[in-house]
Amino acid sequence: MTQSPRKTSGRKPLSASFIARVGLMATLALIFSYVEAIIPYNPGVPGIKLGIANVVTVVALYKFGAKDAVAVSVIRVVLAGLLFNGLFGMLYALAGAAVSLTGMILLKKTGLFSVTGVSMAAGVLHNLGQLLVAAALIEDLRIFFYFPVLMFSGIAAGILVGIASALVLRALR
C-alpha cells in the first residue's frame, strides 16, 4: 500500500543550517546575557543596561537577515527571562525586543544608516517598548517622564553595541 502525500502548510521547512546557525548565535547571546547579569554594573538609575547580547542580534541581522535576527532575539529573551529575569523581566524584554527589532529591520532596509546608527536607534526603541509595557501595567502615563533618561542611556548603549557589532562584522568578512 502506498502512503498518501502529506499536506503541507505552504511554509518552507527550516533548513538544518538555519537551525544550527540560530542555535549557536542564540547560545552566544544567552552567554552574553548571563555575563551582563553577573557584572556588578549599577549606574544608579533603574532599567539601564549595557545590552551586550544585542551585538549578536545586530550581527545576525546584517550577516544573515531579519529572520535570523528575530529568531536569535526571541530565543535569547525567552531563555534569559526564564533563567535570570523572571516573567515580568521577560515581558519587558520581549516588548523592547519587538519594537527595537522592527526599527532595526526598517532602518537597515533604507540603506541610509550605518550599523552604529541602526543600533543606536534600536537602543532608544528598546527602552520605548519597555516603557509602553510599564505604562500599560501600571496604568499611568507619567512613566514617560522617565523616557529622556532612558533615551540617553539607549543612545550610549546603542553606540557601544553598534561599534562592537561593526567590528565583528568587519572581522567576519
Side-chain angles (χ1 to χ4, degrees), residues 72-133:
V72 167
S73 185
V74 169
I75 291 167
R76 192 251 320 159
V77 167
V78 169
L79 290 176
L82 292 172
L83 294 171
F84 317 126
N85 303 327
L87 182 61
F88 282 105
M90 185 187 338
L91 180 65
Y92 285 113
L94 280 171
V99 174
S100 68
L101 270 169
T102 302
M104 281 196 305
I105 292 165
L106 293 173
L107 290 175
K108 180 185 177 277
K109 280 185 180 181
T110 69
L112 299 173
F113 301 92
S114 67
V115 173
T116 303
V118 170
S119 176
M120 188 171 60
V124 173
L125 291 170
H126 183 85
N127 290 335
L128 178 62
Q130 291 185 323
L131 279 179
L132 290 169
V133 168

Coordinates of all heavy atoms in Angstrom, one line a residue, residues 72-133:
V72 N 17.0 34.7 16.8 CA 18.0 34.8 17.8 C 17.5 35.6 19.0 O 17.7 35.2 20.2 CB 19.3 35.4 17.3 CG1 20.3 35.8 18.4 CG2 20.0 34.4 16.3
S73 N 16.9 36.7 18.7 CA 16.4 37.6 19.8 C 15.3 37.0 20.6 O 15.4 37.0 21.8 CB 16.0 38.9 19.1 OG 15.6 39.8 20.2
V74 N 14.4 36.4 20.0 CA 13.3 35.8 20.7 C 13.8 34.6 21.6 O 13.4 34.5 22.8 CB 12.1 35.3 19.8 CG1 11.1 34.4 20.5 CG2 11.5 36.5 19.1
I75 N 14.6 33.8 21.0 CA 15.1 32.6 21.8 C 15.9 33.2 23.0 O 15.8 32.7 24.2 CB 16.0 31.7 20.9 CG1 15.1 31.0 19.9 CG2 16.8 30.7 21.8 CD1 15.9 30.3 18.8
R76 N 16.8 34.1 22.8 CA 17.6 34.7 23.9 C 16.8 35.3 24.9 O 17.0 35.1 26.1 CB 18.6 35.7 23.3 CG 19.7 36.1 24.3 CD 19.7 37.4 24.9 NE 19.3 38.5 24.0 CZ 18.9 39.6 24.4 NH1 18.7 39.8 25.7 NH2 18.6 40.6 23.6
V77 N 15.8 36.1 24.5 CA 15.0 36.9 25.5 C 14.1 35.9 26.4 O 14.1 36.0 27.6 CB 14.1 37.9 24.8 CG1 13.0 38.4 25.7 CG2 14.9 39.0 24.3
V78 N 13.5 34.9 25.7 CA 12.7 33.9 26.5 C 13.6 33.1 27.4 O 13.3 33.0 28.6 CB 12.0 33.0 25.5 CG1 11.3 31.8 26.2 CG2 10.9 33.8 24.8
L79 N 14.7 32.6 26.9 CA 15.6 31.8 27.8 C 16.2 32.7 29.0 O 16.3 32.2 30.1 CB 16.7 31.1 27.0 CG 16.2 30.0 26.1 CD1 17.4 29.4 25.3 CD2 15.6 28.9 26.9
A80 N 16.7 33.9 28.6 CA 17.2 34.7 29.7 C 16.1 35.1 30.7 O 16.4 35.2 31.9 CB 17.8 36.0 29.0
G81 N 14.9 35.3 30.2 CA 13.8 35.6 31.1 C 13.5 34.5 32.1 O 13.4 34.7 33.3
L82 N 13.5 33.3 31.5 CA 13.3 32.1 32.4 C 14.4 31.9 33.3 O 14.2 31.4 34.5 CB 13.1 30.8 31.5 CG 11.8 30.8 30.6 CD1 11.8 29.6 29.7 CD2 10.6 30.8 31.5
L83 N 15.7 32.1 32.9 CA 16.8 31.8 33.7 C 17.2 32.9 34.7 O 17.6 32.7 35.8 CB 18.0 31.5 32.9 CG 17.9 30.2 32.0 CD1 19.1 30.1 31.0 CD2 17.9 29.0 33.0
F84 N 17.1 34.2 34.3 CA 17.7 35.3 35.0 C 16.7 36.4 35.5 O 16.9 37.0 36.5 CB 18.8 36.0 34.3 CG 19.7 35.1 33.5 CD1 20.0 35.3 32.2 CD2 20.4 34.1 34.2 CE1 20.8 34.4 31.5 CE2 21.3 33.2 33.5 CZ 21.5 33.4 32.2
N85 N 15.7 36.7 34.6 CA 14.9 37.9 34.8 C 13.5 37.7 35.4 O 12.9 38.6 35.8 CB 14.8 38.7 33.5 CG 16.1 39.0 32.9 OD1 17.1 39.2 33.7 ND2 16.3 39.0 31.6
G86 N 12.9 36.5 35.3 CA 11.6 36.3 35.7 C 10.6 36.7 34.6 O 10.9 37.2 33.6
L87 N 9.3 36.4 35.0 CA 8.2 36.6 34.0 C 8.1 38.1 33.6 O 8.0 38.4 32.4 CB 6.9 36.1 34.6 CG 5.7 36.2 33.6 CD1 5.9 35.4 32.4 CD2 4.4 35.8 34.3
F88 N 8.1 39.0 34.5 CA 7.9 40.4 34.2 C 9.2 40.9 33.4 O 9.0 41.7 32.5 CB 7.6 41.3 35.4 CG 6.2 41.2 35.8 CD1 5.9 40.4 37.0 CD2 5.2 41.8 35.1 CE1 4.6 40.3 37.4 CE2 3.9 41.7 35.5 CZ 3.6 40.9 36.6
G89 N 10.3 40.5 33.8 CA 11.6 40.9 33.1 C 11.5 40.4 31.6 O 11.9 41.1 30.7
M90 N 11.0 39.2 31.5 CA 10.8 38.7 30.1 C 9.8 39.5 29.3 O 10.0 39.7 28.1 CB 10.4 37.2 30.2 CG 10.4 36.5 28.8 SD 9.7 34.9 28.7 CE 9.8 34.2 30.2
L91 N 8.7 39.8 30.0 CA 7.7 40.6 29.3 C 8.2 42.0 28.8 O 8.0 42.4 27.7 CB 6.5 40.8 30.2 CG 5.3 41.7 29.7 CD1 4.7 40.9 28.5 CD2 4.3 41.9 30.8
Y92 N 9.0 42.6 29.7 CA 9.6 43.9 29.3 C 10.6 43.7 28.2 O 10.6 44.5 27.2 CB 10.3 44.6 30.5 CG 9.3 45.2 31.5 CD1 9.2 44.6 32.8 CD2 8.6 46.3 31.2 CE1 8.3 45.2 33.7 CE2 7.7 46.9 32.1 CZ 7.6 46.3 33.4 OH 6.7 46.9 34.3
A93 N 11.4 42.7 28.3 CA 12.4 42.4 27.3 C 11.8 42.1 25.9 O 12.3 42.5 24.9 CB 13.4 41.3 27.8
L94 N 10.7 41.3 25.9 CA 10.1 40.9 24.7 C 9.5 42.2 24.0 O 9.6 42.3 22.8 CB 9.0 39.9 24.9 CG 9.4 38.5 25.1 CD1 8.3 37.6 25.5 CD2 10.0 37.9 23.8
A95 N 8.9 43.1 24.8 CA 8.3 44.3 24.2 C 9.5 45.2 23.6 O 9.4 45.7 22.5 CB 7.6 45.1 25.3
G96 N 10.5 45.3 24.4 CA 11.7 46.1 23.9 C 12.3 45.5 22.7 O 12.6 46.2 21.7
A97 N 12.4 44.2 22.7 CA 13.0 43.5 21.5 C 12.1 43.6 20.3 O 12.6 43.9 19.2 CB 13.2 42.0 21.8
A98 N 10.8 43.5 20.5 CA 9.9 43.6 19.3 C 10.0 45.0 18.7 O 10.1 45.1 17.5 CB 8.5 43.3 19.8
V99 N 9.9 46.1 19.5 CA 10.0 47.4 19.0 C 11.3 47.7 18.4 O 11.4 48.3 17.3 CB 9.6 48.4 20.1 CG1 9.8 49.9 19.6 CG2 8.2 48.2 20.6
S100 N 12.4 47.3 19.1 CA 13.8 47.6 18.5 C 14.1 46.8 17.3 O 14.7 47.4 16.4 CB 14.8 47.4 19.6 OG 15.0 46.1 19.9
L101 N 13.7 45.6 17.2 CA 13.9 44.8 16.0 C 13.2 45.3 14.8 O 13.7 45.4 13.7 CB 13.5 43.3 16.3 CG 14.6 42.4 16.8 CD1 14.0 41.1 17.2 CD2 15.7 42.2 15.8
T102 N 11.9 45.7 15.1 CA 11.1 46.3 14.0 C 11.8 47.5 13.4 O 12.0 47.7 12.2 CB 9.7 46.6 14.4 OG1 9.1 45.4 14.9 CG2 8.9 47.2 13.3
G103 N 12.3 48.4 14.3 CA 13.0 49.6 13.9 C 14.3 49.3 13.2 O 14.6 49.9 12.2
M104 N 15.1 48.3 13.7 CA 16.3 47.9 13.1 C 16.1 47.4 11.7 O 16.8 47.8 10.8 CB 17.1 46.9 13.9 CG 17.8 47.4 15.1 SD 19.1 46.3 15.8 CE 18.1 44.8 16.1
I105 N 15.1 46.6 11.5 CA 14.9 46.0 10.2 C 14.5 47.1 9.2 O 15.0 47.1 8.1 CB 13.8 44.9 10.3 CG1 14.4 43.7 11.1 CG2 13.3 44.5 8.9 CD1 13.3 42.7 11.5
L106 N 13.6 48.0 9.6 CA 13.2 49.0 8.7 C 14.3 50.0 8.4 O 14.4 50.4 7.3 CB 12.0 49.8 9.4 CG 10.7 49.0 9.5 CD1 9.6 49.8 10.3 CD2 10.2 48.5 8.1
L107 N 15.1 50.4 9.4 CA 16.2 51.3 9.2 C 17.3 50.7 8.3 O 17.8 51.4 7.4 CB 16.8 51.8 10.5 CG 15.9 52.8 11.3 CD1 16.5 53.1 12.7 CD2 15.6 54.0 10.6
K108 N 17.5 49.5 8.5 CA 18.6 48.8 7.7 C 18.1 48.7 6.2 O 18.9 49.0 5.3 CB 18.8 47.4 8.2 CG 19.8 46.6 7.4 CD 20.0 45.2 7.8 CE 21.0 44.4 6.9 NZ 20.4 43.9 5.7
K109 N 16.8 48.5 6.0 CA 16.3 48.4 4.6 C 16.4 49.7 3.9 O 16.6 49.7 2.7 CB 14.8 48.0 4.7 CG 14.6 46.6 4.8 CD 13.1 46.2 4.7 CE 12.9 44.7 4.9 NZ 11.5 44.4 4.7
T110 N 16.4 50.9 4.6 CA 16.6 52.2 3.9 C 18.0 52.3 3.3 O 18.1 53.1 2.3 CB 16.3 53.3 4.9 OG1 17.3 53.4 5.8 CG2 14.9 53.2 5.5
G111 N 19.0 51.7 3.9 CA 20.3 51.9 3.5 C 20.9 53.2 3.8 O 22.0 53.6 3.4
L112 N 20.2 54.0 4.6 CA 20.7 55.4 5.0 C 21.5 55.4 6.3 O 22.1 56.5 6.6 CB 19.5 56.3 5.1 CG 18.6 56.5 3.9 CD1 17.3 57.3 4.3 CD2 19.4 57.1 2.8
F113 N 21.5 54.3 7.0 CA 22.2 54.4 8.3 C 23.3 53.3 8.4 O 23.2 52.3 7.9 CB 21.1 54.1 9.4 CG 20.0 55.1 9.4 CD1 18.9 54.8 8.7 CD2 20.1 56.2 10.2 CE1 17.8 55.8 8.7 CE2 19.1 57.2 10.2 CZ 17.9 56.9 9.5
S114 N 24.3 53.7 9.2 CA 25.4 52.7 9.5 C 24.9 51.7 10.5 O 23.8 51.8 11.1 CB 26.6 53.5 10.0 OG 26.3 54.0 11.3
V115 N 25.7 50.7 10.7 CA 25.4 49.7 11.7 C 25.3 50.4 13.1 O 24.3 50.1 13.8 CB 26.5 48.6 11.8 CG1 26.3 47.7 12.9 CG2 26.6 47.9 10.4
T116 N 26.1 51.3 13.4 CA 26.1 52.0 14.6 C 24.8 52.9 14.7 O 24.2 52.9 15.8 CB 27.3 52.9 14.8 OG1 28.5 52.0 14.8 CG2 27.3 53.6 16.2
G117 N 24.4 53.5 13.7 CA 23.2 54.3 13.7 C 22.0 53.5 13.9 O 21.1 53.8 14.7
V118 N 21.9 52.3 13.2 CA 20.8 51.4 13.4 C 20.8 50.9 14.9 O 19.7 50.8 15.5 CB 20.9 50.2 12.4 CG1 19.9 49.1 12.8 CG2 20.6 50.7 11.0
S119 N 21.9 50.5 15.4 CA 22.0 50.1 16.8 C 21.6 51.1 17.8 O 20.9 50.9 18.8 CB 23.4 49.6 17.0 OG 23.6 49.2 18.4
M120 N 22.0 52.4 17.5 CA 21.7 53.5 18.4 C 20.1 53.7 18.4 O 19.5 53.8 19.5 CB 22.4 54.7 17.9 CG 22.2 55.9 18.8 SD 23.3 57.3 18.3 CE 22.6 57.6 16.7
A121 N 19.5 53.7 17.3 CA 18.0 53.8 17.2 C 17.4 52.6 18.0 O 16.4 52.8 18.7 CB 17.6 53.8 15.8
A122 N 18.0 51.4 17.8 CA 17.4 50.2 18.5 C 17.5 50.4 20.0 O 16.6 49.9 20.7 CB 18.2 49.0 18.0
G123 N 18.6 50.9 20.5 CA 18.7 51.1 21.9 C 17.6 52.0 22.5 O 17.0 51.8 23.5
V124 N 17.3 53.1 21.8 CA 16.2 54.0 22.2 C 14.8 53.3 22.0 O 14.0 53.4 22.9 CB 16.3 55.3 21.3 CG1 15.1 56.2 21.6 CG2 17.6 56.1 21.6
L125 N 14.6 52.6 20.9 CA 13.4 52.0 20.7 C 13.1 50.8 21.7 O 12.0 50.6 22.1 CB 13.3 51.4 19.2 CG 13.2 52.5 18.2 CD1 13.4 51.8 16.8 CD2 11.9 53.2 18.2
H126 N 14.2 50.2 22.1 CA 14.0 49.1 23.1 C 13.5 49.7 24.4 O 12.6 49.2 25.0 CB 15.4 48.4 23.4 CG 15.3 47.3 24.3 ND1 15.0 46.0 24.0 CD2 15.5 47.3 25.7 CE1 15.0 45.3 25.0 NE2 15.3 46.0 26.1
N127 N 14.1 50.8 24.8 CA 13.6 51.5 26.0 C 12.1 52.0 25.9 O 11.4 51.9 26.8 CB 14.5 52.6 26.4 CG 15.9 52.1 26.9 OD1 16.0 51.0 27.4 ND2 16.9 53.0 26.8
L128 N 11.8 52.5 24.7 CA 10.4 52.9 24.4 C 9.4 51.7 24.6 O 8.4 51.9 25.2 CB 10.3 53.6 23.1 CG 8.9 54.0 22.7 CD1 8.4 55.1 23.6 CD2 8.9 54.5 21.2
G129 N 9.8 50.6 24.0 CA 9.0 49.4 24.1 C 8.7 49.0 25.5 O 7.6 48.6 25.9
Q130 N 9.8 49.1 26.3 CA 9.7 48.7 27.8 C 8.8 49.7 28.5 O 8.0 49.3 29.4 CB 11.0 48.6 28.4 CG 11.8 47.4 27.9 CD 13.1 47.2 28.6 OE1 13.8 48.2 29.0 NE2 13.5 46.0 28.8
L131 N 8.9 51.0 28.2 CA 8.0 52.0 28.8 C 6.6 51.8 28.4 O 5.7 52.0 29.3 CB 8.5 53.4 28.5 CG 9.7 53.9 29.3 CD1 10.1 55.3 28.8 CD2 9.4 53.9 30.8
L132 N 6.3 51.4 27.2 CA 4.9 51.1 26.8 C 4.3 50.0 27.6 O 3.2 50.1 28.0 CB 4.9 50.8 25.3 CG 5.2 51.9 24.3 CD1 5.4 51.4 22.9 CD2 4.1 53.0 24.4
V133 N 5.1 49.0 27.9 CA 4.6 47.9 28.7 C 4.4 48.3 30.2 O 3.4 48.1 30.8 CB 5.5 46.6 28.7 CG1 5.2 45.6 29.7 CG2 5.5 46.0 27.3

